[in-house]
């Protein structure tokens, strides 16, 4: 399907893929059709892609769930999901989560370029990325609580990992808005730049990520992504094993 039909598109330029939410007239509000398209991008991604940049057209990254769709009575609406058997409902939500979790892939580094609002599903899409470059006008809110819902698009663990349990609870339970300065202070932002410099900052970060040896970057991402679940001794073992693989590969002795 076309980007006009799904509201999202994938553009590949060598080792860089750009995912663009392209519904600027509704601040890139998200729909199940967009999530299906996003999940498909994981299958369509060329093997030479190393960096995935996620951005929104217009003045917002994403205003969150499109309530005109979710509040209707068609597929993916609250009403339709509520009628499903519990396991079927959970399975449908798992499909939605797949639109976000593929950005965790070990073979790519994902970068969110965030301007304007990143609300609810938009906040969780930014959290799905490994790195977040924020324009100064960026505003986050985990607004699901205002609808009587919970964040369910794989964002809760990422949020706790970044800011800690207490801060994550306060952010999710109040649904309040965080500006770019606070996001930077509490560890949500990799970098905050003036709005006019967002594109350049993302290009510079992408160039830095591509400058390193691809296999080394993959190993580094795996080491750091798994560090929180390992003891110190387990992490040291993982480092030794990763370095052994790199040494053997560089010496031409890899299997």
């Amino acid at each position: 399907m076309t980007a006009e039909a799904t509201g999202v598109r994938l553009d590949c330029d060598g080792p860089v893929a750009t995912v663009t939410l392209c519904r600027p007239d509704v601040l890139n509000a998200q729909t199940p059709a967009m999530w299906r398209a996003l999940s498909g991008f994981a299958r369509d991604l060329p093997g030479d892609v190393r960096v995935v940049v996620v951005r929104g057209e217009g003045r917002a990254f994403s205003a969150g769930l499109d309530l005109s769709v979710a509040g209707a009575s068609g597929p993916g609406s609250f009403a339709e999901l509520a009628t499903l058997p519990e396991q079927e409902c959970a399975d449908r939500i798992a499909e939605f989560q797949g639109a976000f979790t593929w950005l965790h892939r070990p073979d790519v580094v994902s970068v969110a370029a965030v301007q304007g609002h990143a609300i609810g599903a938009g906040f969780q899409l930014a959290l799905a990325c490994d790195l977040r470059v924020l324009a100064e006008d960026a505003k986050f809110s985990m607004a699901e609580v205002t609808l009587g819902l919970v964040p369910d698009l794989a964002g809760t663990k990422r949020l706790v990992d970044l800011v800690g349990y207490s801060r994550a609870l306060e952010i999710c339970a109040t649904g309040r808005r965080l500006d770019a300065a606070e996001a930077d202070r509490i560890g949500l932002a990799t970098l905050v730049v003036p709005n006019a410099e967002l594109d350049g900052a993302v290009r510079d970060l992408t160039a830095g990520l591509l400058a390193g040896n691809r296999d080394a970057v993959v190993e580094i991402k795996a080491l750091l992504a798994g560090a929180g679940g390992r003891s110190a001794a387990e992490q040291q073992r993982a480092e030794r094993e990763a370095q052994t693989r790199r040494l053997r590969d560089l010496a031409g002795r890899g299997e």
Side-chain angles (χ1 to χ4, degrees):
M1 296 180 69
T2 65
E4 289 75 17
T6 62
V8 61
R9 69 173 180 267
L10 174 68
D11 300 295
C12 297
D13 182 11
V16 181
T18 302
V19 172
T20 304
L21 308 185
C22 47
R23 303 182 73 212
D25 53 320
V26 290
L27 302 182
N28 300 313
Q30 298 177 39
T31 66
M34 293 174 74
W35 297 336
R36 286 191 290 272
L38 283 167
S39 295
F41 292 166
R43 298 186 295 271
D44 298 337
L45 206 65
D48 61 345
V49 168
R50 296 180 55 187
V51 177
V52 178
V53 176
V54 181
R55 62 191 325 131
E57 277 188 2
R59 58 192 178 91
F61 181 71
S62 173
L65 182 65
D66 188 335
L67 295 179
S68 69
V69 175
S73 57
S77 68
F78 294 156
E80 191 248 354
L81 289 173
T83 65
L84 298 176
E86 285 188 18
Q87 188 57 54
E88 190 173 343
C89 181
D91 290 344
R92 185 76 61 84
I93 295 170
E95 293 175 5
F96 297 159
Q97 289 172 334
F100 295 70
T101 56
W102 74 270
L103 292 163
H104 307 174
R105 277 172 50 163
D107 59 328
V108 298
V109 177
S110 50
V111 180
V114 182
Q115 82 283 6
H117 290 95
I119 309 298
F123 192 175
Q124 293 186 80
L125 184 58
L127 286 169
C129 294
D130 298 306
L131 308 172
R132 281 154 296 281
V133 181
L134 276 53
E136 288 178 333
D137 73 341
K139 293 180 176 62
F140 290 113
S141 172
M142 202 68 85
E144 285 81 358
V145 68
T146 65
L147 301 172
L149 301 172
V150 303
D152 64 343
L153 297 170
T156 54
K157 177 169 173 51
R158 284 292 184 116
L159 186 62
V160 170
D161 287 346
L162 287 167
V163 305
Y165 163 75
S166 295
R167 180 70 71 188
L169 176 60
E170 182 263 331
I171 289 170
C172 293
T174 65
R176 71 176 181 87
R177 295 195 175 185
L178 297 77
D179 62 19
E182 182 178 2
D184 189 27
R185 186 171 67 252
I186 66 176
L188 284 172
T190 305
L191 184 67
V192 177
V193 298
N195 284 45
E197 298 177 16
L198 180 61
D199 289 345
V202 171
R203 284 194 299 270
D204 289 346
L205 176 57
T206 298
L209 294 169
L210 294 175
N213 176 283
R214 177 174 190 163
D215 292 333
V217 172
V218 169
E219 290 280 14
I220 288 167
K221 178 174 176 176
L223 275 173
L224 298 178
R230 301 188 189 107
S231 67
E234 289 168 339
Q235 182 69 2
Q236 290 158 22
R237 177 179 177 180
E239 292 173 358
R240 295 193 297 270
E241 292 173 346
Q243 193 72 306
T244 298
R245 287 191 294 271
R246 294 303 311 127
L247 290 168
R248 291 180 62 83
D249 186 57
L250 292 171
R253 301 185 64 179
E255 296 181 357

